[in-house]
């Protein structure tokens, strides 16, 4: 009977072990979960073994008591039945004793459960390792992509900064050039205005001086005529003088004064239709100068000139060509140490000065049709030309 109870106890323990271990293995998704499941299974197994042992002991006691009572009762009632009871008990004990053969299968089940747990643990570990490796690869890929994006952004920014810098430099250069051109044009215009004013002032001064000289000459002539006896009536003219004002020496000049009238007669009474314009070519005949005797211009000298193919007369203030704004070829003069005027270029070999040109010097060159203003800096002349409006 004791052997029977022991066998029952062992079988129940094995069954409890199998029942607790298998679900734990199946439910272990990770190494941690497998560990927890194993711990739980061990605890549960211990509990079941304890309970089974307790039950087995109790059952043993109860069976012993019952068996003793039955044996006593039957012995008392029928002694011959002793043999059959013994036989039955022996048979059942034999049957129970034969069952401990299940010990091998219990061991096998325990071993199988352990192998299953180990396999689950190994699979969980492998899965965790694969997951970790995949995460590592993904992180590396992400880092590489981030680095490449950062590099591209830096390259794009550098290119954009360079383009902006190049544009700014080009804009500045264009602005500087425009400013320099404007400054040069303004200076040239100012220089021309100054030259025109200087020429006008000089012409006005020369005219005033000539007017005074003409007035003085007219007064002296008047006094002389009143004191002289007129003998022209008693004298006989046999060889009259032919008036040829354009037969004398012809001088090519550039007129640098202000626009003025020309006359068709030497008395300066009839105005020609063609006015004399500034910065134009004029042929002058200084030897043919006469004085107007009648009209509002009486007393003024009349200089014969050829202008645009016509023989005309110019009202002048003296016999001097330059004083009347008629500058002959090759003429030049210095107004100051840095300001020069002439009808010859500053680079012409005929130009001879007492001292070399100074930086900042300006030369006004007049020609038929306009004026060119030259500026001197470090042995280099630069120029701007202004043409007459036709």
């Amino acid at each position: 009977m004791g052997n029977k109870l022991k066998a029952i106890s062992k079988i129940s323990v094995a069954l409890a072990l199998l029942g607790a271990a298998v679900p734990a293995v199946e439910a272990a998704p990770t190494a941690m979960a497998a560990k927890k499941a194993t711990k739980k299974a061990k605890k549960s197994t211990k509990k079941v073994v304890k309970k089974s042992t307790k039950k087995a002991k109790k059952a043993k006691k109860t069976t012993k008591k019952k068996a003793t009572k039955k044996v006593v009762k039957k012995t008392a009632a029928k002694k011959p039945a002793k043999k059959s009871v013994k036989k039955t008990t022996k048979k059942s004990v034999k049957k129970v004793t034969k069952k401990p053969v299940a010990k091998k299968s219990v061991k096998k089940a325990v071993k199988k459960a352990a192998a299953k747990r180990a396999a689950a643990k190994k699979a969980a570990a492998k899965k965790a390792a694969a997951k970790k490796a995949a995460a590592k690869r993904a992180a590396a890929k992400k880092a590489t992509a981030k680095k490449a994006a950062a590099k591209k952004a830096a390259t794009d920014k550098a290119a954009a900064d360079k383009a902006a810098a190049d544009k700014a430099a080009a804009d500045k250069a264009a602005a500087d050039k425009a400013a320099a051109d404007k400054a040069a044009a303004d200076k040239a215009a100012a220089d021309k205005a100054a030259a025109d004013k200087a020429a006008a002032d000089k012409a006005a001064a020369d005219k005033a001086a000539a007017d005074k000289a003409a007035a003085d000459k007219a007064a002296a002539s008047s006094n002389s005529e009143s004191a002289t006896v007129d003998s022209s009536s008693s004298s006989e003219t046999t060889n009259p003088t032919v008036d040829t004002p354009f037969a004398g020496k012809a001088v090519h000049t550039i007129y640098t004064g202000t626009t003025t009238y020309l006359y068709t007669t030497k008395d300066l009474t009839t105005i020609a239709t063609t006015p004399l314009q500034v910065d134009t070519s004029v042929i002058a005949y200084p030897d043919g100068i006469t004085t107007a005797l009648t009209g509002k211009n009486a007393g003024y000298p009349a200089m014969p000139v050829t202008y645009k193919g016509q023989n005309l007369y110019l009202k002048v203030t003296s016999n001097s060509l330059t004083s009347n704004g008629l500058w002959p070829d090759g003429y030049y003069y210095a107004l100051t140490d840095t300001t020069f005027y002439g009808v010859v270029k500053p680079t012409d070999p005929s130009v001879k000065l007492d001292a070399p040109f100074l930086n900042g010097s300006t030369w006004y060159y007049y020609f038929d049709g306009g004026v060119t203003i030259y500026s001197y800096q470090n042995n280099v002349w630069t120029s701007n030309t202004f043409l007459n409006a036709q």
Side-chain angles (χ1 to χ4, degrees):
M1 190 70 175
N3 288 337
K4 188 181 179 182
L5 286 168
K6 274 182 186 176
I8 290 163
S9 174
K10 281 179 181 178
I11 288 161
S12 63
V13 168
L15 287 169
L17 279 168
L18 281 167
V22 173
V25 172
E26 284 172 0
T30 59
M32 198 75 165
K35 201 174 182 183
K36 276 182 183 178
T38 310
K39 207 172 184 184
K40 200 174 179 185
K42 277 181 182 178
K43 209 172 184 183
S44 176
T45 308
K46 274 181 184 179
K47 213 172 183 185
V48 170
V49 168
K50 205 174 182 184
K51 207 172 182 184
S52 300
T53 310
K54 213 172 182 183
K55 257 185 180 182
K57 277 180 182 180
K58 203 175 179 184
K60 192 179 176 185
K61 261 185 181 181
T62 311
T63 311
K64 207 174 182 183
K65 268 183 184 181
K66 277 181 181 179
T68 309
K69 274 180 183 179
K70 273 181 183 182
V71 169
V72 170
K73 234 176 183 182
K74 282 179 181 182
T75 308
K78 282 180 185 179
K79 271 193 177 180
K82 196 176 182 182
K83 222 174 192 180
S84 62
V85 170
K86 275 184 180 178
K87 221 176 189 179
T88 312
T89 311
K90 275 180 182 178
K91 273 181 185 178
S92 61
V93 168
K94 270 181 186 177
K95 275 181 187 174
V96 173
T97 311
K98 278 178 185 176
K99 278 184 182 176
V101 182
K103 202 173 184 181
K104 278 184 180 178
S105 62
V106 170
K107 277 185 179 179
K108 199 176 182 183
V110 171
K111 202 174 182 183
K112 193 179 179 184
K116 212 168 185 183
R117 280 200 304 276
K121 198 175 180 182
K122 194 180 177 186
K126 197 175 181 182
K127 193 179 178 185
K131 199 174 181 183
K132 193 180 176 186
K136 203 172 181 181
R137 278 199 305 276
K141 198 174 181 182
K142 193 180 176 185
T144 307
K146 200 174 180 182
K147 193 179 176 185
K151 197 174 181 181
K152 188 181 182 298
T155 307
D156 291 347
K157 189 180 180 297
D161 290 346
K162 188 181 181 299
D166 290 347
K167 189 180 182 298
D171 290 346
K172 188 179 181 298
D176 290 347
K177 188 179 183 299
D181 291 346
K182 188 179 181 298
D186 290 347
K187 186 180 182 298
D191 289 345
K192 186 178 185 304
D196 290 346
K197 188 179 180 300
D201 291 346
K202 186 174 182 299
D206 290 345
K207 185 177 182 300
D211 287 349
K212 187 178 182 301
D216 292 345
K217 187 181 178 185
S221 177
S222 177
N223 292 335
S224 175
E225 280 176 5
S226 61
T228 305
V229 178
D230 187 10
S231 59
S232 60
S233 56
S234 58
S235 62
E236 200 174 88
T237 305
T238 53
N239 295 311
T241 306
V242 179
D243 186 11
T244 54
F246 299 95
K249 181 184 176 184
V251 180
H252 181 266
T253 67
I254 298 295
Y255 179 64
T256 59
T258 56
T259 302
T260 187
Y261 293 115
L262 290 171
Y263 298 88
T264 56
T265 60
K266 61 182 179 180
D267 289 329
L268 307 177
T269 53
T270 307
I271 296 172
T273 54
T274 305
L276 179 58
Q277 293 180 327
V278 69
D279 301 335
T280 50
S281 177
V282 178
I283 305 295
Y285 302 90
D287 294 343
I289 292 175
T290 57
T291 303
L293 301 175
T294 59
K296 64 176 183 178
N297 291 318
Y300 278 98
M303 183 180 290
V305 295
T306 299
Y307 184 67
K308 293 187 178 180
Q310 298 179 63
N311 287 335
L312 302 168
Y313 293 90
L314 174 65
K315 178 184 165 183
V316 295
T317 55
S318 68
N319 293 348
S320 169
L321 290 172
T322 56
S323 297
N324 291 286
L326 295 166
W327 292 2
D329 294 342
Y331 175 79
Y332 64 90
Y333 74 96
L335 185 66
T336 66
D337 288 343
T338 56
T339 307
F340 303 86
Y341 297 89
V343 290
V344 62
K345 295 177 183 179
T347 54
D348 195 281
S350 64
V351 175
K352 307 288 182 189
L353 298 176
D354 297 335
F357 287 108
L358 298 172
N359 279 339
S361 293
T362 306
W363 184 288
Y364 297 87
Y365 165 61
Y366 297 92
F367 58 91
D368 184 15
V371 59
T372 297
I373 301 170
Y374 288 91
S375 298
Y376 182 81
Q377 195 69 36
N378 299 326
N379 297 322
V380 177
W381 288 99
T382 55
S383 64
N384 282 297
T385 299
F386 300 90
L387 300 175
N388 292 339
Q390 298 299 321

